Amino acid sequence: MKKIKTSIWFTFAVALIFPAACFQDLAQEPPFSYPPNYVPQYSPLKVYLPMDDDEKNASNYRFGMTAIGGNFVDGHIGKTFEATENDFIVAAPPASLVDSLLQLGSFTFSFWINAPRPDGVRGIMSIAKKDHTLGFVNFYFENNNNGDQAYIKGYLRSYPPETPAGKNTWIDVGSVQPEGSSRVEGVWNRWTHLVFRYNGETSKFSIFKDGVAVLNDRLLGSVAAPFGKLAFDPTQFDGKIVFGALAPKAGQTSGTQDAWVVNAKAIEGQYDQIRFYNKALSDTEIAGLYSSRE
């Protein structure tokens, strides 16, 4: 009995001392604190990939980044991503950001590229759909035989509230027109800075090369029915952005798309300093990205 009583008193004493020790720890200098939930400071720059040895997103937002193949080698600004026809990068947004990207409105996408002239369709960027078909926003290089000229095409599909069934438009202009062309000279086998900008307020799309507009404020839609702010089907949207390929490259396994979509390859070459904004940058801001090599 004596041993049992001693054990009970010892246990009781420890129970009294232990809470006191815990409260004493909380009063230490500096005070102990658990990390708060991460709430990023707002920035229109959602994705920034400097390619410094990995695919880490250097913006304020914690995208889940996955590089499919590729290597990080010395390149344009420090390290750069070097890809074959099967290599690309996928950015998956945090849950807190999906809703705001669902109502994207406008965007600016910029990157540096050093690649050979393509021998077929090469995906540039795509905002994916869950069913792995052609995405909501898509840009790609089309095959051409015009020396140093890049033939850029695009496809946008939007589900704004006023058009619940959705609407789409192609950016596919091969001939020179007064407001410019989507054929861009002097791109291949050198470091070139390209920017795609869409302003949902004005429904105008532009392409910039080395800080200068080469396709300037082309109206998408018509004066009577402009394309408007970008919004996406919530049943098919998870916010994933594919860089360096079309979205089907990241999951297409069936023949539900046209052959050119299913067979489209990734960019083969090097690219760097990828930036994706949920706003239309000004001409001055875009020129600044080029001049500062960002």
Side-chain angles (χ1 to χ4, degrees), residues 70-85:
N71 295 291
F72 296 90
V73 300
D74 291 336
H76 179 56
I77 303 170
K79 296 290 186 180
T80 190
F81 187 71
E82 185 173 63
T84 71
E85 63 185 34

Side-chain angles (χ1 to χ4, degrees), residues 28 32 35 41 50 59 71 157 278-279 284 287:
Q28 285 180 350
F32 176 81
Q41 181 178 356
S59 78
N71 295 291
R157 183 158 186 81
N278 69 334
K279 66 172 286 188
T284 301

Side-chain angles (χ1 to χ4, degrees), residues 5-234:
K5 288 181 178 179
T6 300
S7 177
I8 292 171
W9 278 108
F10 177 77
T11 302
F12 181 66
V14 169
L16 290 175
I17 294 169
F18 187 74
C22 289
F23 285 114
Q24 184 178 5
D25 288 343
L26 291 175
Q28 285 180 350
E29 295 295 339
F32 176 81
S33 61
Y34 290 98
N37 291 329
Y38 180 72
V39 179
Q41 181 178 356
Y42 174 79
S43 170
L45 178 60
K46 303 306 179 187
V47 179
Y48 169 39
L49 306 183
M51 307 298 188
D52 293 336
D53 289 321
D54 59 31
E55 68 276 20
K56 181 179 179 181
N57 179 27
S59 78
N60 292 345
Y61 298 91
R62 293 183 174 178
F63 277 73
M65 306 300 303
T66 304
I68 308 299
N71 295 291
F72 296 90
V73 300
D74 291 336
H76 179 56
I77 303 170
K79 296 290 186 180
T80 190
F81 187 71
E82 185 173 63
T84 71
E85 63 185 34
N86 295 309
D87 304 333
F88 52 91
I89 296 174
V90 179
S96 60
L97 196 60
V98 171
D99 285 349
S100 63
L101 292 175
L102 187 63
Q103 302 292 327
L104 183 63
S106 305
F107 70 86
T108 303
F109 168 58
S110 71
F111 64 107
W112 288 87
I113 183 172
N114 184 1
R117 191 181 68 192
D119 56 0
V121 175
R122 301 281 179 155
I124 301 172
M125 185 274 279
S126 188
I127 297 180
K129 291 177 66 182
K130 288 181 180 179
D131 62 5
H132 304 300
T133 59
L134 195 61
F136 293 107
V137 174
N138 311 268
F139 293 102
Y140 57 96
F141 294 119
E142 179 63 280
N143 181 36
N144 68 79
N145 297 304
N146 295 313
D148 206 23
Q149 183 185 82
Y151 187 4
I152 298 168
K153 292 187 177 182
Y155 171 78
L156 309 180
R157 183 158 186 81
S158 184
Y159 291 79
E162 64 273 17
T163 314
K167 55 184 179 179
N168 64 80
T169 187
W170 288 91
I171 302 164
D172 182 8
V173 181
S175 61
V176 176
Q177 297 190 12
E179 68 272 31
S181 171
S182 58
R183 291 186 183 269
V184 182
E185 301 290 343
V187 172
W188 307 121
N189 298 302
R190 60 183 290 271
W191 279 109
T192 304
H193 189 244
L194 293 175
V195 180
F196 306 145
R197 179 184 70 190
Y198 178 67
N199 188 330
E201 298 286 348
T202 62
S203 297
K204 291 181 178 179
F205 176 77
S206 301
I207 299 175
F208 289 75
K209 179 220 167 186
D210 292 345
V212 177
V214 291
L215 175 64
N216 192 26
D217 284 345
R218 170 146 313 148
L219 178 67
L220 301 187
S222 65
V223 174
F227 198 70
K229 295 181 180 179
L230 289 172
F232 308 123
D233 178 2

